């Protein structure tokens, strides 16, 4: 901690010569406060001007070649980054406090009384906007030279501020954003708390991103030797995805945790397709073309038939029993249920089989060292293409609309794209060699996109974000593409670093995870029926069902694998 304070003090000493520049912000703030007849608006302007002025530190750093100075200091890079963010926040808070006092004096001189809600709302809005600016521009300054990105990084924020202010002055924007926004407007303390909290969260995420960028390419934590055939972290990650599937369906049955379900839906099935795609080429190479196809038909086709003909009627009968009146006749239903994943995966496997047949006569000799590496620019390009294709598809197949018992065809570009990335990851050894800091950057970008893009996409009535070519749908498609790619990178690198052991318990879970995927629906339905008599908070009941249900699913899966010949399929 002492090193961080030393870093803040060093930043202060370097920036002292630039402090008079803040007077420009005060003069402009007072002028706009008088013109707009909103005294506290001046404080907001001062805070917003303070953000890019704190970035002047990077200009001094660049002009005076201070990397030589920092190179001999006993400071870690992460301590320098954290100190820089804390220093910037000190500058913003001090200037905001002074500007708020000036605004109060102006209100007394102009007889413009400021109410507490108005005062706090403007200050919290300014704080959030400043945090957003710092969260975006600081990582750019750490990654690129200050002179290259200064105008590019700051100008959009000024334009957005000017347009937003003019728009809100002439338009009742709160009246157009639904019941929730009007409720928040009447409970300004909630708005203030949300804005301050979001601002701090954005800064924390941005700080993590800057640390990842300044540390650069972290060495891969596992061997890249092809002799290590089994990636235990991939098995463990697949197990975790199956557990998330169980929790997702449990939340759907309890009709709660909507944000949890939306975040899950954005990435977890896509990541399952990526992992399935990763293991596809190895299976094809070991078994040969025809045996591969027969094996996939056996391993995916038979479980699907078992679910549709046996488990689905049992699960639907139990579900309808829970929601029907006593004494009414209840019938089961034959449905594809969660096995849509197996059907779609089999279609993708057929596509892979066909592609291999097409390129069968092509002779490719790739040297290990010439394998294309996964770069951040390739990941960004893939993410943007995925967002564009998803947006176009949702014009015709909206988000959340089930077609032919496929509940999420709006995510088809993600599922296919991730499966293809999985096959390429095997051929190019990306899961082993992807830099560790990609996961840090991916997680931070996923969180920033969730705090900025997701609320923006949900603006408006009638669920415009689901598709039909609306601008909300475009924002939503961009969000879930960034979130899916970012979370996938984060989880892959996290599991590779911390959960790459092949211990007995992990192998047990991995061996039974696919059976759990198949059988979990009827188990959790009847467990919910058994717990109906417990009268408690719905969230607590969800937790209790999950704590009992997940081990129960794995226990039943273990018993099923004891049946003769079952291991040949699962």
């Amino acid at each position: 901690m002492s090193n961080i304070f030393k870093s803040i003090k060093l930043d202060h000493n370097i920036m002292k010569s630039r402090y008079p520049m803040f007077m420009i912000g005060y003069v402009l703030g007072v002028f706009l406060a008088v013109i707009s007849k909103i005294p506290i608006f001046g404080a907001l302007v001062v805070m917003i001007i303070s953000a890019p002025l704190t970035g002047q530190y990077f200009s001094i750093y660049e002009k005076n070649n201070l990397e030589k100075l920092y190179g001999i200091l006993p400071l870690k890079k992460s301590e320098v980054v954290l100190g820089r963010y804390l220093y910037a926040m000190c500058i913003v808070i001090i200037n905001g406090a002074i500007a708020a006092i000036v605004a109060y004096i102006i209100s007394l001189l102009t007889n413009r009384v400021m109410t507490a809600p108005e005062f706090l709302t403007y200050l919290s809005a300014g704080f959030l906007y400043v945090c957003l600016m710092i969260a975006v521009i600081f990582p750019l300054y750490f990654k690129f030279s200050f002179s290259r990105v200064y105008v590019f990084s700051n100008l959009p924020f000024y334009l957005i501020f000017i347009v937003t202010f003019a728009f809100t002055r002439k338009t009742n924007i709160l009246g157009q954003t639904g019941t929730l926004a009007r409720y928040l407007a009447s409970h300004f303390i909630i708005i203030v708390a949300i804005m301050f909290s979001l601002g701090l969260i954005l800064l924390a995420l941005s700080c993590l991103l800057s640390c990842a960028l300044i540390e650069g390419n972290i060495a891969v934590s596992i061997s890249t030797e092809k002799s290590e055939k089994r990636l235990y972290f991939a098995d463990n990650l697949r197990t975790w995805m199956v557990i998330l599937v169980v929790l997702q369906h449990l939340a759907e049955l309890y009709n709660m945790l909507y944000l949890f379900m939306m975040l899950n839906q954005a990435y977890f099935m896509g990541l399952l397709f990526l992992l399935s795609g990763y293991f596809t080429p190895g299976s094809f190479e070991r078994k040969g073309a025809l045996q591969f196809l027969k094996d996939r038909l056996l391993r995916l086709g038979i479980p699907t038939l078992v679910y549709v003909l046996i488990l689905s009627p049992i699960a639907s009968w139990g579900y309808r029993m829970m929601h029907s009146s006593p004494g009414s006749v209840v019938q089961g239903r034959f449905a594809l249920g969660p096995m849509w994943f197996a059907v779609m995966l089999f279609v993708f496997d057929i596509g892979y089989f066909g592609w291999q047949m097409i390129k069968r006569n092509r002779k490719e000799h790739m040297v290990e060292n010439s394998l294309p590496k996964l770069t951040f620019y390739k990941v960004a390009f893939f993410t943007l293409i995925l967002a564009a294709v998803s947006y176009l598809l949702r014009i015709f197949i909206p988000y959340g609309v089930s077609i032919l018992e496929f509940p999420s065809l709006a995510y088809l570009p993600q599922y296919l794209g991730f499966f293809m990335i999985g096959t390429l990851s095997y051929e190019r050894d990306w899961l082993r060699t992807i830099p560790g800091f990609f996961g840090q950057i991916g997680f931070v970008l996923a969180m920033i996109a969730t705090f900025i893009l997701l609320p923006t996409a949900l603006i408006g009535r009638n669920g415009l974000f689901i598709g039909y070519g609306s601008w909300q749908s475009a924002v939503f498609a961009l969000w879930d593409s960034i979130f899916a790619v970012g979370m996938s990178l984060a989880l892959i690198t996290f599991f590779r670093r911390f959960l790459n052991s092949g211990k007995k318990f992990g192998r047990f879970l991995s061996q039974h995870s696919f059976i759990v995927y198949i059988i979990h629906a009827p188990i959790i339905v009847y467990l919910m029926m058994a717990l109906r008599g417990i009268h408690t908070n719905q969230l607590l009941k969800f937790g209790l069902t999950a704590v009992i249900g997940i081990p129960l699913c794995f226990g039943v899966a273990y018993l099923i694998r004891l049946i003769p010949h079952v291991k040949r399929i699962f």
Side-chain angles (χ1 to χ4, degrees):
M1 185 62 71
S2 61
N3 281 345
I4 295 175
F5 285 122
K6 290 178 182 178
S7 177
I8 295 174
K9 185 177 180 180
L10 181 60
D11 289 354
H12 163 70
N13 291 330
I14 291 174
M15 271 289 289
K16 280 194 297 187
S17 62
R18 298 291 179 99
Y19 286 160
M21 295 178 62
F22 288 102
M23 292 303 300
I24 299 174
Y26 285 102
V27 173
L28 184 60
V30 171
F31 175 75
L32 292 177
V34 174
I35 295 297
S36 66
K37 299 180 181 180
I38 306 176
I40 194 60
F41 179 67
L44 187 149
V45 171
V46 171
M47 293 174 69
I48 291 175
I49 291 177
S50 298
L53 289 180
T54 57
Q56 289 293 316
Y57 175 91
F58 293 91
S59 174
I60 300 174
Y61 184 93
E62 182 179 311
K63 289 180 179 179
N64 295 278
N65 200 21
L66 293 183
E67 66 269 13
K68 293 183 178 180
L69 169 64
Y70 279 82
I72 62 174
L73 294 176
L75 294 174
K76 297 179 181 179
K77 292 181 179 179
S78 59
E79 292 172 338
V80 172
V81 173
L82 181 56
R84 189 74 39 79
Y85 275 86
L86 291 175
Y87 169 74
M89 281 311 305
C90 290
I91 292 295
V92 170
I93 291 173
I94 292 172
N95 279 281
I98 295 174
I101 295 172
V102 172
Y104 181 74
I105 295 173
I106 294 174
S107 69
L108 294 177
L109 296 176
T110 58
N111 294 321
R112 171 65 168 85
V113 179
M114 292 188 300
T115 63
E118 181 184 25
F119 188 87
L120 292 176
T121 301
Y122 268 92
L123 279 183
S124 58
F127 179 79
L128 175 59
Y129 201 72
V130 167
C131 289
L132 175 61
M133 293 180 71
I134 294 175
V136 172
I137 64 180
F138 271 32
L140 292 175
Y141 294 158
F142 279 115
K143 177 66 176 177
F144 306 102
S145 63
F146 175 86
S147 56
R148 286 177 55 192
V149 298
Y150 176 69
V151 175
F152 169 77
S153 60
N154 284 277
L155 185 59
F157 286 100
Y158 290 122
L159 294 177
I160 292 172
F161 174 73
I162 294 171
V163 171
T164 302
F165 178 73
F167 182 71
T168 53
R169 294 280 291 173
K170 296 183 179 181
T171 308
N172 182 18
I173 188 171
L174 290 177
Q176 302 178 17
T177 53
T179 306
L180 177 61
R182 290 193 293 273
Y183 171 81
L184 293 176
S186 61
H187 298 75
F188 74 94
I189 292 298
I190 298 178
I191 291 182
V192 171
I194 290 175
M195 287 185 177
F196 275 109
S197 300
L198 286 178
L200 294 175
I201 291 172
L202 285 173
L203 284 180
L205 294 172
S206 178
C207 186
L208 289 174
L209 177 60
S210 295
C211 287
L213 290 173
I214 200 170
E215 288 175 3
N217 193 334
I218 299 175
V220 178
S221 59
I222 65 173
S223 172
T224 59
E225 293 294 330
K226 281 291 187 179
S227 58
E228 186 186 349
K229 294 182 179 180
R230 199 68 188 175
L231 297 184
Y232 290 111
F233 76 86
D235 291 332
N236 295 331
L237 179 55
R238 184 167 52 184
T239 300
W240 174 241
M241 290 299 103
V242 170
I243 292 174
L244 280 183
V245 169
V246 178
L247 294 176
Q248 177 85 358
H249 292 157
L250 193 58
E252 290 176 359
L253 290 172
Y254 274 115
N255 195 27
M256 61 186 303
L257 300 177
Y258 303 111
L259 180 60
F260 167 77
M261 290 191 289
M262 180 177 284
L263 296 178
N264 264 354
Q265 186 67 54
Y267 82 96
F268 74 146
M269 295 307 296
L271 186 50
L272 267 180
F273 277 110
L274 187 150
L275 295 173
S276 300
Y278 179 84
F279 290 107
T280 296
S283 178
F284 186 90
E285 291 173 3
R286 290 193 308 271
K287 299 172 182 176
L290 293 179
Q291 186 58 39
F292 166 80
L293 206 56
K294 292 178 182 178
D295 179 75
R296 302 313 287 165
L297 181 61
L298 178 71
R299 291 177 178 270
L300 298 175
I302 291 180
T304 301
L305 291 176
V306 169
Y307 182 86
V308 171
L309 299 178
I310 301 175
L311 299 180
S312 174
I314 295 174
S316 61
W317 184 82
Y319 179 79
R320 295 183 183 192
M321 280 287 291
M322 283 195 299
H323 296 84
S324 63
S325 58
S328 60
V329 178
V330 178
Q331 295 181 344
R333 175 175 175 265
F334 298 100
L336 193 57
M339 297 311 292
W340 67 265
F341 170 78
V343 174
M344 188 174 287
L345 180 58
F346 182 65
V347 173
F348 291 168
D349 286 333
I350 292 176
Y352 181 81
F353 169 84
W355 171 247
Q356 292 299 321
M357 292 300 98
I358 292 173
K359 56 182 283 192
R360 185 179 229 175
N361 296 326
R362 292 174 54 192
K363 294 183 179 180
E364 298 183 350
H365 302 282
M366 297 188 69
V367 182
E368 183 72 19
N369 293 331
S370 68
L371 291 173
K373 293 183 178 180
L374 187 63
T375 65
F376 187 77
Y377 297 104
K378 291 178 181 178
V379 174
F381 180 74
F382 170 79
T383 304
L384 293 176
I385 293 297
L386 176 61
V389 176
S390 298
Y391 168 72
L392 294 175
L393 178 65
R394 291 172 190 176
I395 296 176
F396 309 100
I397 305 177
Y399 170 86
V401 175
S402 178
I403 296 179
L404 299 176
E405 298 196 22
F406 287 86
S408 53
L409 271 184
Y411 280 105
L412 181 59
Q414 182 193 117
Y415 299 157
L416 178 58
F418 275 42
F419 178 83
M420 295 170 64
I421 292 295
T423 60
L424 288 175
S425 296
Y426 177 85
E427 296 171 357
R428 302 179 180 184
D429 208 25
W430 282 344
L431 292 193
R432 299 177 194 268
T433 60
I434 181 175
F437 79 98
F438 272 30
Q440 296 172 280
I441 295 175
F443 177 76
V444 171
L445 293 180
M447 294 300 102
I448 291 176
T450 299
F451 285 115
I452 299 175
L453 296 180
L454 182 57
T456 304
L458 299 180
I459 290 176
R461 299 182 178 131
N462 301 322
L464 295 175
F465 71 94
I466 68 173
Y468 305 114
S470 66
W471 68 265
Q472 290 95 335
S473 175
V475 176
F476 189 80
L478 179 60
W479 164 73
D480 66 30
S481 297
I482 295 174
F483 190 81
V485 174
M487 285 301 297
S488 297
L489 289 171
L491 287 171
I492 288 171
T493 53
F494 177 84
F495 273 73
R496 187 183 67 189
R497 182 175 180 181
F498 297 106
L499 296 168
N500 193 34
S501 61
K503 294 182 179 179
K504 188 174 181 179
F505 181 68
R507 293 200 306 271
F508 171 85
L509 296 179
S510 176
Q511 290 169 353
H512 297 85
S513 61
F514 185 50
I515 301 180
V516 169
Y517 182 89
I518 298 167
I519 66 173
H520 74 274
I523 292 176
I524 61 176
V525 166
Y526 285 94
L527 182 58
M528 289 175 63
M529 288 183 64
L531 298 176
R532 276 192 303 178
I534 299 178
H535 301 288
T536 184
N537 180 274
Q538 197 78 338
L539 184 60
L540 291 177
K541 188 176 286 190
F542 167 85
L544 179 62
T545 309
V547 169
I548 298 174
I550 292 174
L552 182 60
C553 287
F554 279 97
V556 175
Y558 170 74
L559 296 177
I560 291 175
R561 284 192 93 234
L562 295 179
I563 300 173
H565 307 297
V566 168
K567 291 184 180 180
R568 294 181 57 190
I569 301 175
F570 303 105

